[in-house]
Amino acid sequence: MHPNRTDIARLYESLRLIRRVEEAIADVYPTDRIKSPIHLSIGQEAVSVGVIDTLAPADIVAASYRCHAAYLAKGGDLKAMIAELFGKAAGVAGGKGGSMHLIAPEVNMLGASAVVATQIPLAVGAALTQKMKGTGAIVAVFLGDGATEEGVFHESLNFAALKRLPVLFVCENNGYSIHTPLRARWATDRLTERVATYGLPAARIADGDVFAIRDQAAGFVASIRDGRGPAFMEVQTYRWKEHVGPNADFDAGYRPESEARPWIDNDQLPRLGALIDAEERAAIDARVETAIAEAFAFAEAASPPPLEDLLAHVHA
Ligand SMILES: Cc1ncc(C[n+]2csc(CCOP(=O)(O)OP(=O)(O)O)c2C)c(N)n1
Ligand SMILES: [Mg+2]
């Protein structure tokens, strides 16, 4: 899939929106107007953007608590997202879920959850539904490297491979589970080889290149849509901010800033921006800033859930 000018502009706009939304969230966070923990994907956006660009609107996406990028790349409503973070009734989960529980059924984004790896079996269940109903839709599920250590990841791979379910597993390998690096967790980093033994094709992309991610995903999506069963891709990436919260954390002692440098130098956002002419880029950037300003103003003005709804939709 050689990207043309329209593709590049579309990918750039998606990357730019996600980056600027998360920067705006990080800016507002210290004011305490955002009522939930936030897990930013700044630096990792190309994974969601590259993969989701290959999906059809009817296809389904599932993500972890680090779900802003997937939600926005899939076309989730920005106002309802920011209202959710502000704890307002107009939020996607009525203001009661926050950043880790984004959901957008109108664009086929399943509900995210704070519990590591729980999105994986839900995605496989959704894939089983598509297969049994013959809808032709496929499912893409995003998961962290830490999530591959959960038993349910392996159960899900096995079941999906056995039943040849239409699901694309996408591991965003940012090298850390909170503060613990891979070398303290895995005897070998041959993740794709481990996964392939379940009987599904598995590929790894090491350089964070959004076009390479998109090409790999497009190939797998075509094969899954043809009924050839699930596929797995590992994309190496890097989280620029702390695990949870708006700040950099290179002073925390678990990773050096020098480790981030090659990833920051390889940032796909300016790379794509340089491939677009200045006038078009300015128009995109302006559109993004307007959407963000409107979403934050909407969230600010929105009402909190009414008192009588306090115990609705919660476990008590
Ligand atoms: C079942 C479960 N175990 C532990 C946790 C605590 N926890 C929250 S995030 C996280 C790290 C997961 O790392 P990874 O899957 O690599 O995702 P990343 O945060 O890097 O995107 C852990 C261990 C949890 N939320 N759920
Ligand atoms: Mg990780």
Side-chain angles (χ1 to χ4, degrees):
M1 275 214 310
H2 194 67
N4 60 32
R5 281 187 49 177
T6 319
D7 293 331
I8 295 170
R10 187 180 62 253
L11 294 167
Y12 172 78
E13 182 156 0
S14 189
L15 287 172
R16 176 87 185 176
L17 177 72
I18 297 164
R19 174 70 55 86
R20 291 290 304 125
V21 166
E22 289 206 319
E23 286 175 346
I25 289 169
D27 282 348
V28 166
Y29 205 70
T31 67
D32 206 30
R33 300 218 284 296
I34 290 176
K35 300 300 181 191
S36 78
I38 48 160
H39 299 75
L40 301 179
S41 37
I42 292 179
Q44 303 190 192
E45 303 93 334
V47 188
S48 292
V49 169
V51 170
I52 293 174
D53 195 61
T54 68
L55 300 179
D59 293 333
I60 295 165
V61 163
S64 75
Y65 48 85
R66 198 178 300 285
C67 56
H68 298 167
Y71 174 92
L72 291 170
K74 190 68 170 83
D77 184 75
L78 181 56
K79 287 182 176 159
M81 170 183 163
I82 304 301
E84 184 61 36
L85 270 58
F86 276 58
K88 301 297 180 70
V92 295
K96 293 181 181 177
S99 158
M100 296 193 282
H101 297 99
L102 298 186
I103 178 169
E106 69 286 0
V107 293
N108 299 309
M109 167 94 188
L110 300 182
S113 150
V115 187
V116 171
T118 46
Q119 76 276 21
I120 306 170
L122 295 183
V124 168
L128 178 62
T129 304
Q130 305 318 306
K131 180 158 185 171
M132 290 178 73
K133 289 187 169 172
T135 64
I138 73 166
V139 182
V141 54
F142 294 88
L143 54 115
D145 45 289
T148 70
E149 293 155 16
E150 291 289 342
V152 75
F153 169 67
H154 298 270
E155 297 170 49
S156 299
L157 289 174
N158 181 57
F159 186 77
L162 178 69
K163 300 292 181 187
R164 298 175 83 79
L165 299 183
V167 52
L168 175 62
F169 300 92
V170 182
C171 178
E172 294 186 64
N173 184 353
N174 61 14
Y176 290 90
S177 177
I178 310 186
H179 298 150
T180 311
L182 282 186
R183 65 178 179 280
R185 293 156 41 215
W186 298 358
T188 102
D189 65 0
R190 298 202 297 273
L191 175 63
T192 52
E193 290 172 49
R194 287 201 280 284
V195 167
T197 64
Y198 286 103
L200 67 167
R204 175 194 221 185
I205 294 173
D207 61 4
D209 181 322
V210 68
F211 298 129
I213 294 166
R214 179 167 168 268
D215 280 350
Q216 183 63 67
F220 278 154
V221 163
S223 145
I224 294 166
R225 233 187 263 295
D226 271 1
R228 279 179 272 154
F232 175 88
M233 54 193 276
E234 173 192 4
V235 185
Q236 288 183 282
T237 183
Y238 201 76
R239 160 170 65 69
W240 296 7
K241 300 287 187 186
E242 57 193 331
H243 167 72
V244 53
N247 303 305
D249 67 350
F250 297 110
D251 56 358
Y254 75 96
R255 57 174 190 169
E257 188 158 6
S258 58
E259 192 180 79
R261 190 37 56 197
W263 292 100
I264 294 171
D265 291 344
N266 185 38
D267 189 2
Q268 298 297 291
L269 181 59
R271 175 189 174 207
L272 264 59
L275 298 174
I276 303 170
D277 56 61
E279 209 174 309
E280 186 177 10
R281 190 172 65 236
I284 293 172
D285 292 355
R287 201 151 62 228
V288 163
E289 296 310 310
T290 303
I292 293 172
E294 286 176 1
F296 277 79
F298 172 82
E300 189 77 52
S303 309
L307 195 56
E308 58 273 23
D309 283 354
L310 192 61
L311 297 179
H313 305 128
V314 294
H315 256 302

